[in-house]
């Protein structure tokens, strides 16, 4: 067994403030941003100081708690609850695709509703405990997913991954990158190809950084190089994350994921998405119903603040795409590996979790 320790903490709540590792400037600068109120938390999510579906869920939970602290002096409890609901909606709209955000805020709301008649100190401490639980449960869940996912990773595997799904994208450890780290930790010899992941370069900036910290043998590739590697038999499996899974098993993830799935299907390469159950949206039937965030044109026209496209060029910049379940070998979760028929298996998980 190899030991593997994380050397950074991307998300920490201390002294009435949320401290976030600024993922916009990694890996060239290691800087932290302190959010002291829910508006700053909303900005941190929207501007991608923090990103990754589980990480923004945990961040939003602390944002909710900060809002409750701010409104605790409200004239009466009903005014307090109204303002809290407004703040929750404000936090929820910061990024529309990852369902973990809505899930975490609903969970906080449930606690607030149940404790509405409690003294304010008690209500606030229940909310703080809940936000801490959202964070800790995500770390524990990632560890469990990693152990389950390790079963599908052959020794000496070469794995291709996309975007960033490690400790930076979660409350700690990671989902797809968690599976890869667990495989290495368990003694397997693994090689990783990391897609750079245009336009935000989460692969080049963040996954490459995490892979190097974990000392996992790896190479960074441009997104366009992936298909050739897959066709040439150089990839044993593709393992990546997910931002929202529909009830039929369609997976919405970082833009470029769908394209990878098509190539994998064409060449018979296993394609896995790794997500906590909190990323499954049981209320949405198919991927067609998932709202896809479109981001600023400047993410495409500029690289590191330098313009690369002609002034005035129009841009289409969806941040995510949907991979149809037909292209997916399995969805790895803490409740086990979901395989076809996806709809039935997802339904069973819903029942087992009472969702
Ligand atoms: O736009 P981002 O960087 O928030 O997108 C992140 C992803 O698409 C990840 O693959 C997904 O959130 C899973 S993270 C464990």
């Amino acid at each position: 067994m190899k030991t593997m320790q994380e050397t950074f903490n991307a998300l920490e709540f201390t002294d009435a403030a949320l401290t976030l590792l600024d993922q916009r400037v990694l890996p060239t600068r290691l800087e932290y941003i302190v959010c002291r109120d829910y508006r700053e938390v909303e900005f941190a999510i929207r501007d991608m100081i923090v990103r990754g579906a589980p990480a923004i869920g945990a961040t939003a939970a602390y944002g909710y708690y900060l809002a409750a602290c701010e409104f605790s002096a409200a004239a009466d409890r009903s005014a307090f609850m109204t303002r809290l609901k407004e703040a929750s909606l404000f936090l929820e709209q910061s990024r529309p695709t990852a369902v973990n955000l809505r899930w975490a805020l609903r969970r906080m709301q449930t606690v607030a509703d149940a404790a509405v008649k409690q003294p304010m100190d008690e209500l606030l401490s229940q909310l703080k405990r809940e936000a801490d639980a959202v964070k800790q449960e995500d770390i524990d869940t990632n560890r469990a997913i990693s152990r389950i996912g390790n079963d599908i990773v052959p020794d000496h595997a070469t794995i291709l991954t996309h975007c960033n799904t490690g400790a930076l994208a979660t409350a700690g450890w990671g989902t797809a990158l968690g599976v890869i780290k667990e495989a290495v930790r368990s003694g397997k010899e693994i090689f990783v190809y990391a897609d750079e992941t245009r336009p935000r370069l989460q692969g080049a900036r963040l996954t490459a950084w995490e892979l190097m910290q974990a000392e996992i043998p790896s190479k960074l590739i441009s997104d366009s190089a992936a298909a050739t590697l897959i066709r040439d038999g150089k990839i044993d499996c593709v393992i990546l994350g997910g931002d929202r899974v529909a009830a039929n098993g369609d997976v919405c993830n970082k833009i470029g994921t769908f394209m990878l799935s098509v190539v994998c299907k064409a060449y018979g390469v296993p394609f896995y998405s790794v997500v906590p159950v909190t990323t499954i949206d049981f209320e949405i039937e198919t991927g067609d119903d998932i709202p896809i965030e479109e981001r600023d044109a400047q993410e495409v026209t500029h690289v590191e603040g330098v313009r690369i496209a002609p002034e005035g060029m129009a841009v289409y910049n969806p941040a995510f795409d949907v991979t149809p379940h037909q292209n997916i070998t399995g969805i790895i979760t803490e409740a086990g590996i979901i395989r076809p028929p996806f709809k039935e298996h997802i339904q069973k998980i819903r029942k087992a979790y009472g969702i």
Side-chain angles (χ1 to χ4, degrees):
M1 279 281 175
K2 229 181 126 181
T3 50
M4 212 170 272
Q5 208 73 43
E6 257 149 39
T7 51
F8 59 91
N9 194 349
L11 193 168
E12 192 157 43
F13 194 93
T14 40
D15 301 329
L18 181 65
T19 302
L20 299 168
L21 181 54
D22 189 347
Q23 299 190 33
R24 300 169 305 180
V25 298
L26 276 173
T28 44
R29 300 204 308 270
L30 198 70
E31 287 176 6
Y32 290 87
I33 300 275
V34 179
C35 303
R36 297 192 190 282
D37 63 45
Y38 76 93
R39 293 168 205 84
E40 290 178 349
V41 170
E42 189 274 341
F43 175 78
I45 297 172
R46 183 162 39 87
D47 212 45
M48 295 176 71
I49 291 168
V50 58
R51 28 70 46 202
I56 62 178
T59 300
Y62 284 116
Y64 188 100
Y65 169 66
L66 284 171
C69 293
E70 182 175 325
F71 304 145
S72 60
D76 57 61
R77 202 50 68 88
S78 135
F80 168 81
M81 291 302 278
T82 304
R83 294 189 73 187
L84 201 48
K85 273 203 184 104
E86 284 165 6
S88 180
L89 285 173
F90 178 66
L91 286 164
E92 192 179 325
Q93 58 71 50
S94 55
R95 291 197 74 190
T97 300
V99 75
N100 307 62
L101 192 56
R102 187 187 75 195
W103 167 83
L105 290 166
R106 280 191 185 173
R107 186 167 156 168
M108 295 298 285
Q109 183 73 48
T110 305
V111 171
D113 288 340
V116 70
K117 296 212 167 84
Q118 301 284 327
M120 186 52 84
D121 281 1
E122 174 56 24
L123 198 163
L124 291 179
S125 61
Q126 283 192 27
L127 288 176
K128 171 65 169 46
R129 275 203 298 276
E130 196 65 11
D132 288 341
V134 168
K135 181 184 169 189
Q136 189 55 47
E137 284 171 25
D138 184 56
I139 299 170
D140 299 343
T141 299
N142 289 336
R143 292 281 185 174
I145 296 175
S146 299
R147 287 189 290 272
I148 292 169
N150 190 16
D151 284 351
I152 60 97
V153 180
D155 197 4
H156 303 287
T158 297
I159 301 169
L160 189 138
T161 193
H162 191 65
C163 197
N164 172 262
T165 58
L168 291 167
T170 59
W173 188 247
T175 56
L177 201 50
V179 171
I180 292 169
K181 287 195 285 184
E182 180 61 24
V184 173
R185 205 183 66 88
S186 69
K188 291 178 186 168
E189 265 181 53
I190 302 296
F191 190 88
V192 178
Y193 282 103
D195 278 356
E196 61 174 349
T197 320
R198 276 281 290 158
R200 291 289 296 213
L201 301 171
Q202 290 94 329
R205 296 188 303 101
L206 310 176
T207 301
W209 189 68
E210 288 201 49
L211 284 166
M212 289 186 74
Q213 297 230 340
E215 298 179 348
I216 297 175
S218 47
K219 277 186 185 164
L220 179 65
I221 56 169
S222 68
D223 298 329
S224 333
T228 303
L229 283 172
I230 294 168
R231 183 204 59 193
D232 291 351
K234 301 265 171 58
I235 304 297
D236 296 302
C237 54
V238 168
I239 307 182
L240 37 70
D243 290 84
R244 194 185 297 222
V245 177
N248 70 344
D250 293 350
V251 171
C252 180
N253 189 49
K254 180 53 53 197
I255 192 77
T257 301
F258 168 53
M259 203 157 65
L260 284 173
S261 79
V262 173
V263 183
C264 280
K265 194 167 185 193
Y267 290 95
V269 172
F271 180 96
Y272 290 96
S273 164
V274 186
V275 297
V277 169
T278 53
T279 298
I280 305 175
D281 187 346
F282 298 96
E283 293 168 19
I284 250 172
E285 270 182 43
T286 77
D288 295 343
D289 301 326
I290 297 174
I292 303 291
E293 176 184 13
E294 278 190 44
R295 294 191 62 88
D296 201 291
Q298 195 159 328
E299 290 184 351
V300 180
T301 56
H302 290 64
V303 173
E304 298 289 301
V306 177
R307 174 176 281 285
I308 54 161
E311 191 99 42
M313 182 65 193
V315 166
Y316 171 52
N317 183 23
F320 301 96
D321 60 26
V322 173
T323 296
H325 61 274
Q326 293 89 342
N327 290 6
I328 298 171
T329 310
I331 303 171
I332 301 168
T333 75
E334 72 273 30
I337 301 178
I338 308 170
R339 295 183 186 274
F342 288 102
K343 202 171 167 181
E344 281 88 322
H345 284 186
I346 289 173
Q347 207 44 41
K348 273 191 196 148
I349 292 178
R350 183 175 202 174
K351 271 204 187 124
Y353 279 67
I355 301 169

